[in-house]
């Protein structure tokens, strides 16, 4: 038997040693990775807080208030965001903790002034913030407002909310009622002489088996905005929807188009403001016969009234077309410059003969569509001369008055 040389034996021993060393290194590396995993620990769950800012008085086409700064603080966090076009906002990646929300936009006031929100392993949708313009005219008004939803936060529209005043002798006087809009909101705009008076709010819907929590509430008007919400519960027969669309065939005035749609059921009437596409939907209706009536003073409609029967399912109505037949729509624009052709911003342009004022922008330009009271100045019939008078402290203008004749 041939003997192996010492050199070959040494080589084999070296290979075994290298293999043993590699295994040891792998074991050490594996242990280090296990330690690293235990240090990192499980990923923490995060949550969101979202909500909406509403502008008073309510605008039926869009109740939301855009570009309001929303601040959030808490859990060593300080952040902000802007509300979007429909007034909504969202903060994400939030830990379980308590946070404070506040609103800011000049020159407006907000109610509530701030809101504390506690996250307890779930996403939070907060009740609305409401705002009004901080000026002398608006602060003479007081608003009683709120929202009606069901247990799942679904909107309940077309609910009557009755208002009663409690007199000093404890007698009760009916003031009237309003209805929740398609957004589920209701509001009363009341004059300044109601400050510190006390009222009762009571929701109802005629012919429907709704109960409300609370069934009524007492509010004292001690602020410009008084907020109270209700939760509705329905226990009657199944409810359905009626929906359809109003199509404006006058494309030149498409951006100006809006339409009120009334629903009549023989007991009550409901008003829906069609959206920018002309779509409308009446929710929460029992089986029965209904009439749909579109209205806009400047348009004629292919159908003045549609009659529809709801029987066990939702109803989808044929399109109604409309055409503009109102007075002619005009806009006016111009520019103020000095003798060297430089723009003069901040010039007040007064519109004579109608109520309307507007200021020139940084380029010295003005346009009646941006006037504070533009809805008074942009539509009329017949022939008329329109006068514009510029004014700014320290300036004289040539001409001092200019006009156009339509």
């Amino acid at each position: 038997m041939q003997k192996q040389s010492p050199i070959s034996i040494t080589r084999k021993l070296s290979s075994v040693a290298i293999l043993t060393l590699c295994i040891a290194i792998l074991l050490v590396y594996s242990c280090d990775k296990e330690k690293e995993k235990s240090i990192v620990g499980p990923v923490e769950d995060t949550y969101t807080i979202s909500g909406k800012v509403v502008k008073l008085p309510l605008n039926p086409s869009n109740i939301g208030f855009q570009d309001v700064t929303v601040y959030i603080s808490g859990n060593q966090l300080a952040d902000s965001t802007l509300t979007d076009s429909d007034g909504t906002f969202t903060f994400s990646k939030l830990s379980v903790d308590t946070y404070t929300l506040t609103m800011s936009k000049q020159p407006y006031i907000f109610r509530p002034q701030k809101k504390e929100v506690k996250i307890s392993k779930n996403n939070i949708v907060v009740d609305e913030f409401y705002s009004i313009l901080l000026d002398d005219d608006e602060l003479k008004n007081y608003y009683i407002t709120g929202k009606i939803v069901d247990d799942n936060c679904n909107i309940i529209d077309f609910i009557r909310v009755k208002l009663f005043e409690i007199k000093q002798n404890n007698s009760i006087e009916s003031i009237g009622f309003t209805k929740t809009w398609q957004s589920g909101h209701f509001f009363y705009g009341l004059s300044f002489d109601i400050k510190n008076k006390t009222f009762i709010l009571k929701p109802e819907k005629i012919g429907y088996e709704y109960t409300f929590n609370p069934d009524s509430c007492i509010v004292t008007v001690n602020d410009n905005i008084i907020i109270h919400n209700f939760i509705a519960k329905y226990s009657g027969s199944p409810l359905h929807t009626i929906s359809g669309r109003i199509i404006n065939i006058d494309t030149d005035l498409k951006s100006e188009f809006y339409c009120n749609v009334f629903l009549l059921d023989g007991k009550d009437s409901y008003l829906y403001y069609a959206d920018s596409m002309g779509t409308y939907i009446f929710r929460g209706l029992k089986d029965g016969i209904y009439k749909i009536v579109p209205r806009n003073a400047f348009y004629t409609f292919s159908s003045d009234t549609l009659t529809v029967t709801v029987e066990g399912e939702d109803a989808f109505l044929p399109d109604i077309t409309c055409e503009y037949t109102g007075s002619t729509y005009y806009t006016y624009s111009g520019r103020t410059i000095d003798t060297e052709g430089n723009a003069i911003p901040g010039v007040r342009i007064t519109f004579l003969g109608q109520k309307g004022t507007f200021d020139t922008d940084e380029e010295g330009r003005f346009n009646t569509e941006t006037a504070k009271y533009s809805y008074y100045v942009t539509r009329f019939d017949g022939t008329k001369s329109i006068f514009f008078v510029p004014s700014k402290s320290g300036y004289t203008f040539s001409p001092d008055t200019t006009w156009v004749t339509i």
Side-chain angles (χ1 to χ4, degrees), residues 261-274:
V261 184
F262 291 89
L263 180 140
L264 311 176
D265 65 1
K267 299 176 182 178
D268 209 345
S269 63
Y270 311 99
L271 171 61
Y272 193 98
Y273 298 89

Side-chain angles (χ1 to χ4, degrees), residues 256 329-332 351 354-358 367-380:
E256 290 293 314
Y329 180 88
Y330 298 96
T331 61
Y332 312 97
F351 183 90
Q354 298 284 339
K355 186 179 182 181
T357 60
F358 38 95
N367 191 311
T368 57
E369 286 189 320
T370 64
K372 183 177 181 181
Y373 301 101
S374 61
Y375 50 87
Y376 283 109
V377 304
T378 55
R379 276 198 178 105
F380 54 85

Side-chain angles (χ1 to χ4, degrees), residues 94-113:
L94 301 174
S95 304
V96 172
D97 210 317
T98 299
Y99 299 86
T100 301
L101 298 176
T102 56
M103 310 287 136
S104 177
K105 185 179 177 73
Q106 294 296 329
Y108 293 87
I109 61 173
F110 296 86
R111 296 294 184 271
Q113 292 179 325

